[in-house]
Amino acid sequence: MKQWIVLAAVMLAAGCTSKEERAYQQAFASCSAKLKDAAKNPSSARIPPATEREVSGRGIELWWSKGSGLAFMNGFGAMLDSSSMCITSTDGTMVRELIIDGATVYQHPFVRSR
């Protein structure tokens, strides 16, 4: 019985999130997947929630600054603190551009360079 009550509470809470918050959650999931794809060792990548987020004319922008906890393993096995910016579509489903430590590592073919 307790499981059903907890499940119902979770479902109600999920239904209460705004459209914008769901888009941010989707953008984080999409960016996390691309960040892991870009990592030398995806299973060791540490991807915390973005330190900043914003909706702009280009889509949803998520930023991780140095010191935010975003870290990737280098070729020697050391975890290195990183920064990143990820831009997705306005619904968060498609990554348009991914920049890690100042280098563009992914750009959707239909996105023009700045």
Side-chain angles (χ1 to χ4, degrees), residues 2-113:
K2 286 183 182 179
Q3 294 89 351
W4 290 107
I5 294 171
V6 171
L7 179 62
V10 169
M11 289 175 69
L12 283 173
C16 294
T17 57
S18 69
K19 182 178 178 182
E20 182 178 289
E21 187 59 35
R22 285 192 303 273
Y24 278 128
Q25 291 170 355
Q26 180 61 50
F28 177 73
S30 299
C31 289
S32 293
K34 279 288 184 206
L35 284 164
K36 285 187 182 234
D37 287 347
K40 283 184 174 39
N41 184 352
S43 64
S44 69
R46 290 192 305 240
I47 305 169
T51 51
E52 293 186 46
R53 62 187 198 177
E54 177 182 303
V55 176
S56 72
R58 298 188 304 173
I60 298 174
E61 298 182 16
L62 302 177
W63 296 281
W64 290 264
S65 55
K66 289 256 188 208
S68 67
L70 180 67
F72 299 101
M73 186 179 287
N74 69 6
F76 300 106
M79 293 300 286
L80 300 178
D81 187 38
S82 296
S83 63
S84 183
M85 181 179 77
C86 181
I87 303 170
T88 70
S89 56
T90 54
D91 64 359
T93 58
M94 180 186 74
V95 174
R96 293 184 171 170
E97 188 172 8
L98 178 63
I99 299 169
I100 300 175
D101 293 328
T104 301
V105 296
Y106 175 79
Q107 189 169 36
H108 193 275
F110 299 115
V111 176
R112 288 188 223 147
S113 299

